[in-house]
Amino acid sequence: MKNFARRVLFFIFFIAFLLTAVYFGFDLKSNPYVLTKLEEPVLESEGRYIIPGGQTIGVELKTEGVLVVGLADIVNSENLSTSPAKLSGVHIGDKILEIDSLLVESTEDIIRYTEIEGVKTYIFKIEREGQTLYVSITPVQIYKSSEIKFGFWARDDIAGIGTVTFVDPETGKFSAIGHGISDSDTGNLIDIKSGTIKKANITSIKLGKKGEPGEIIGYILKNEDSLGYVENNTDFGIYGSINKKSMGYFSRNLLEVGRKEEIKLGPAQIYSCVNNEIQKYDIEITKVFYQNKPDEKSFVIKIVDDDLLQLTNGIIQGMSGCPVIQNNKIVGAVTHVFMNDPTKGYGIYIEWIFEEIYGATQ
């Protein structure tokens, strides 16, 4: 009798679950938010209309301090190999903030100061994984030269090509890239002091293939005025403000921001400028992930547009940030390509980008 009652209760629960899914027009396979969407808080993106991106841009970033990107052995004046930086405990990824209490904003600051001071013990203020440390380093004079070296390689700026996701006409804010910009040598997210975005010209396309991502090859139009200023580099892309005189460059029909529970498996589009003009290309959303906190891999897309496949063979470097459109709403942005299949990649919910921008600015 008890078993019969349990079966009846289970049957009632199952029928109720199916009716709920039918009522909301979704199922858990196509959208995992079907049972939680009524409980979701209203985010800053609710009912908002923005300008879709797709423009290929050049990004120039100035790091905060100087980033150590490598350690090297130096042949000193006694013809012996040594690395003062390595012996002093300097790590790749360390951020140099000061030398002898003098602010370091570029590698030239270190070079100019040490050329005057010569061989002596220098006190470096560095930041490592959020902690401030002080390291003493005595450089060595290079064999048969008057030049002195510490034994580390450093970088104070970075440049590359990416794609704008959207521009908010109400605030002038923009978002681009879709994922954080990391140092190619260390893999660490770059802390920036300042940055600009500019127009870029595409010269060629390196096709993507299994195990080797393709790439947009081009150059930044450095002689032209910047389109806007980068305010932050986050795990979900860069954001900042567009110059008022550059707003016309992004002038297009507004699209509504789509919420994550509106995304369905099936047809969608991306805007991209890989052919030096913005075009809409067909994709399929093949998987949607439930996320209770922001992550840059929110759903999976597959390129199905024959024209785009002929141009790029799929998703390539430089396409990160392309807006994803479904049912005439911006629902996300392209973030990463699958290494084993360039036709597939990840997208991020547009809500997570909005939360990053407006949560930070508020």
Side-chain angles (χ1 to χ4, degrees):
M1 193 67 181
K2 288 183 178 180
N3 289 337
F4 178 75
R6 288 174 182 169
R7 289 175 184 174
V8 170
L9 288 173
F10 175 79
F11 181 75
I12 293 172
F13 173 79
F14 182 72
I15 294 298
F17 176 82
L18 287 179
L19 290 174
T20 301
V22 171
Y23 176 78
F24 287 110
F26 293 97
D27 59 51
L28 289 178
K29 184 178 179 182
S30 65
N31 191 300
Y33 293 93
V34 59
L35 298 180
T36 62
K37 67 178 181 178
L38 293 181
E39 301 174 4
E40 291 290 324
V42 177
L43 297 179
E44 186 70 25
S45 60
E46 180 73 11
R48 200 154 194 158
Y49 285 80
I50 54 179
I51 303 170
Q55 298 87 353
T56 300
I57 54 165
V59 181
E60 297 178 314
L61 302 178
K62 180 73 175 176
T63 64
E64 183 181 356
V66 170
L67 188 67
V68 176
V69 297
L71 299 172
D73 289 329
I74 308 298
V75 178
N76 64 17
S77 58
E78 298 175 355
N79 202 20
L80 298 174
S81 180
T82 184
S83 176
K86 192 184 300 182
L87 293 173
S88 298
V90 174
H91 293 179
I92 294 176
D94 285 349
K95 185 165 56 178
I96 300 173
L97 303 175
E98 296 179 0
I99 178 171
D100 289 350
S101 298
L102 299 175
L103 186 65
V104 172
E105 295 183 333
S106 70
T107 55
E108 289 299 316
D109 291 339
I110 298 176
I111 293 172
R112 283 194 296 265
Y113 179 66
T114 54
E115 282 179 347
I116 296 171
E117 297 294 316
V119 176
K120 70 165 201 170
T121 299
Y122 295 87
I123 307 298
F124 285 82
K125 179 182 178 181
I126 66 174
E127 182 180 307
R128 179 186 301 159
E129 297 179 352
Q131 293 186 329
T132 300
L133 305 171
Y134 291 88
V135 178
S136 299
I137 313 177
T138 304
V140 296
Q141 186 172 319
I142 295 178
Y143 183 64
K144 293 184 177 180
S145 171
S146 60
E147 191 176 1
I148 64 173
K149 294 287 185 180
F150 290 95
F152 64 75
W153 297 99
R155 176 183 296 165
D156 55 34
D157 57 17
I158 191 167
I161 289 177
T163 300
V164 173
T165 302
F166 69 83
V167 174
D168 188 339
E170 291 185 12
T171 63
K173 297 289 184 183
F174 77 89
S175 172
I177 311 299
H179 61 76
I181 297 178
S182 301
D183 187 87
S184 58
D185 296 293
T186 67
N188 296 330
L189 190 70
I190 295 174
D191 291 326
I192 67 168
K193 181 179 180 182
S194 61
T196 59
I197 61 171
K198 293 185 175 182
K199 294 178 183 179
N201 188 50
I202 300 173
T203 56
S204 62
I205 297 291
K206 176 185 175 184
L207 295 179
K209 58 183 179 181
K210 185 176 180 179
E212 186 178 341
E215 182 182 2
I216 294 176
I217 299 172
Y219 58 91
I220 301 171
L221 301 178
K222 293 181 177 290
N223 293 330
E224 293 200 17
D225 293 337
S226 67
L227 297 170
Y229 297 91
V230 181
E231 297 170 8
N232 204 356
N233 175 34
T234 77
D235 288 327
F236 311 129
I238 60 172
Y239 69 81
S241 297
I242 297 297
N243 297 329
K244 288 184 179 180
K245 63 181 181 179
S246 299
M247 285 297 291
Y249 181 69
F250 300 97
S251 180
R252 301 178 65 200
N253 292 334
L254 300 180
L255 289 180
E256 186 177 358
V257 175
R259 300 186 67 191
K260 55 186 179 294
E261 54 270 351
E262 296 179 278
I263 300 177
K264 297 180 181 180
L265 299 185
Q269 300 83 35
I270 61 171
Y271 286 163
S272 180
C273 194
V274 291
N275 204 20
N276 267 322
E277 67 174 304
I278 298 177
Q279 293 188 27
K280 185 186 291 187
Y281 296 103
D282 291 328
I283 66 169
E284 293 278 342
I285 296 178
T286 61
K287 192 169 185 177
V288 178
F289 299 110
Y290 178 82
Q291 295 175 336
N292 56 13
K293 61 180 180 179
D295 190 277
E296 61 194 50
K297 296 178 180 180
S298 303
F299 54 90
V300 176
I301 66 171
K302 179 178 175 64
I303 306 296
V304 296
D305 193 288
D306 290 336
D307 290 339
L308 184 57
L309 289 172
Q310 187 173 358
L311 280 169
T312 65
N313 208 28
I315 301 169
I316 60 176
Q317 294 177 1
M319 286 176 62
S320 296
C322 287
V324 178
I325 316 298
Q326 190 177 61
N327 295 326
N328 210 34
K329 292 185 178 182
I330 299 183
V331 296
V334 177
T335 58
H336 300 281
V337 62
F338 284 15
M339 289 298 293
N340 63 344
D341 185 353
T343 67
K344 295 180 180 179
Y346 289 105
I348 181 175
Y349 295 136
I350 199 71
E351 287 182 84
W352 294 155
I353 298 176
F354 260 82
E355 192 171 281
E356 184 71 42
I357 296 174
Y358 292 102
T361 55
Q362 286 174 349

